Amino acid sequence: MEAEKKPPAVSDVGAWAMNVVSSVGIIMANKQLMSSAGYAFSFATTLTGFHFTVTALVGWISNATGYSVSKHVPLWELVWFSLVANTSITGMNLSLMLNSVGFYQISKLSMIPVVCFMEWVLNSKHYTTKVISAVVVVAAGVGICTVTDVEVNAKGFICACVAVFCTSLQQITIGSFQKKYNIGSFELLSKTAPIQAVSLIILGPFADYYLNGRWLLNYNFSTGATFFILLSCSLAVFCNMSQYLCIGRFSATSFQVLGHMKTVCVLILGWVLFDSALTVKNILGMLLAVMGMVVYSWAVETEKKATAPIPRNKSDMLDDSEDVPLKARVSGLPTSDLEEGEMKS
């Protein structure tokens, strides 16, 4: 008898909840840490290096204590993945610096069609009309409530294109690696985090100096700033873990679509905690986005049910052995041989 599959430690809803809560939490913490009204820690790339350092440390402790098992993944693939992921991070930071916030939001929204196209090219994945329509509704809703001024230049446009391509490729690769090497989400994260941590800690300060003209060593690490850095790193562990978990269970497209729930949550919390303006246009856009997410979830579930194999009735599942006498099934001999033996006796 085959062993029953071990149920996942975190349910599907729990994985999404972990991602939304940790992502929104880290955005709120980073806003307090990096804004001029807060602690003015304007070293985004280096902070990401801190995130992966803590994540790598948690992964090492998990492997050392036997909570997780390390599986082999070729080093060159881990280095290639880390290069793509780090380019995504740097490209996003450069895009935000060189372009307006409106165009930055548009570039993030463009990841949905880019991911769909890349999954179609790389994994031969097809989408129904219902799914495509829901994706359009979500993108339109988030665009209405986030996009304001749109200004772009040649350098900013190139950085945005590189960032969108690398981010989409990174998210698709996470799912591909988990299937290819039969490795869990946390185990894969434990493999990639150390490489990303080392590279970002080394190169991050130089990238940040190019972005804002300030050196990390000249920053005054106050008690409050240190607390929010540690809080941001702690939340990043859950954010990274849930990202790998969600993409491994679902798809990069679903992660992008349902991930825009975080944008809605950030807008609402920004209005509640930081007195950010919330206009009728924002509210209508959020309602449209939420409606699109509901439709998307329904469309995906409908597609799963349509493609799932139809279970056969119990009577249909019985094979020809049901018509064979019990004695024949016990002995393993054909019926004719048994009858012939009885006649001889």
Side-chain angles (χ1 to χ4, degrees):
M1 182 180 293
E2 295 182 0
E4 294 183 358
K5 289 185 178 180
K6 185 179 178 182
V10 181
S11 66
D12 293 347
V13 176
W16 281 118
M18 184 194 300
N19 184 258
V20 171
V21 172
S22 59
S23 298
V24 173
I26 200 172
I27 290 173
M28 293 295 107
N30 288 350
K31 186 169 184 177
Q32 179 64 26
L33 175 65
M34 304 180 74
S35 65
S36 56
Y39 295 98
F41 185 85
S42 56
F43 308 97
T45 311
T46 306
L47 180 62
T48 307
F50 292 162
H51 291 170
F52 281 109
T53 300
V54 176
T55 303
L57 178 61
V58 172
W60 178 82
I61 294 174
S62 178
N63 290 332
T65 56
Y67 181 78
S68 59
V69 180
S70 178
K71 292 186 178 181
H72 175 71
V73 179
L75 180 61
W76 73 269
E77 292 213 75
L78 294 175
V79 172
W80 172 82
F81 173 83
S82 300
L83 178 63
V84 172
N86 290 350
T87 304
S88 164
I89 295 167
T90 306
M92 279 296 180
N93 290 337
L94 287 172
S95 175
L96 183 58
M97 182 190 76
L98 297 173
N99 299 315
S100 64
V101 176
F103 185 80
Y104 175 75
Q105 290 293 343
I106 289 177
S107 67
K108 289 180 67 177
L109 289 173
S110 68
M111 287 182 197
I112 299 179
V114 171
V115 167
C116 290
F117 177 76
M118 292 180 70
E119 284 196 318
W120 174 66
V121 172
L122 298 176
N123 301 328
S124 300
K125 187 170 183 178
H126 298 276
Y127 300 91
T128 63
T129 305
K130 295 176 183 177
V131 171
I132 295 174
S133 301
V135 167
V136 172
V137 172
V138 172
V142 176
I144 289 172
C145 62
T146 59
V147 176
T148 52
D149 60 314
V150 178
E151 294 178 7
V152 63
N153 55 70
K155 289 183 180 179
F157 180 77
I158 293 173
C159 289
C161 290
V162 171
V164 168
F165 175 79
C166 289
T167 303
S168 304
L169 182 60
Q170 174 209 6
Q171 293 179 357
I172 292 174
T173 305
I174 289 173
S176 300
F177 275 8
Q178 292 187 45
K179 293 181 178 69
K180 182 178 180 181
Y181 297 106
N182 192 26
I183 187 172
S185 55
F186 186 70
E187 286 75 16
L188 179 60
L189 179 60
S190 301
K191 290 282 188 181
T192 59
I195 301 174
Q196 288 187 256
V198 171
S199 55
L200 287 173
I201 289 295
I202 294 174
L203 301 176
F206 297 98
D208 289 328
Y209 179 76
Y210 174 77
L211 289 169
N212 55 51
R214 298 174 59 191
W215 284 108
L216 177 67
L217 295 178
N218 295 332
Y219 181 76
N220 179 27
F221 286 88
S222 63
T223 304
T226 304
F227 169 78
F228 275 98
I229 289 174
L230 294 175
L231 176 61
S232 179
C233 291
S234 301
L235 290 169
V237 174
F238 294 99
C239 186
N240 291 328
M241 190 188 310
S242 59
Q243 178 187 6
Y244 280 56
L245 195 63
C246 290
I247 294 176
R249 291 190 185 183
F250 307 103
S251 68
T253 304
S254 295
F255 182 77
Q256 279 292 329
V257 172
L258 299 182
H260 281 297
M261 178 63 73
K262 294 177 284 189
T263 303
V264 175
C265 293
V266 168
L267 288 172
I268 294 174
L269 287 177
W271 173 64
V272 173
L273 300 177
F274 299 101
D275 294 327
S276 300
L278 196 62
T279 63
V280 175
K281 174 173 163 286
N282 296 139
I283 295 173
L284 292 176
M286 286 189 287
L287 291 175
L288 183 62
V290 171
M291 184 181 70
M293 293 171 199
V294 172
V295 173
Y296 178 84
S297 302
W298 168 77
V300 170
E301 286 301 317
T302 303
E303 186 178 2
K304 284 181 181 178
K305 291 178 181 178
T307 56
I310 301 174
R312 296 185 298 174
N313 295 329
K314 187 175 181 181
S315 58
D316 296 334
M317 296 174 67
L318 298 177
D319 54 24
D320 294 338
S321 63
E322 289 295 319
D323 298 329
V324 179
L326 179 61
K327 187 188 291 186
R329 277 184 275 159
V330 172
S331 63
L333 294 173
T335 309
S336 58
D337 292 344
L338 279 172
E339 292 175 350
E340 193 175 321
E342 289 174 352
M343 290 174 62
K344 288 180 181 178
S345 62

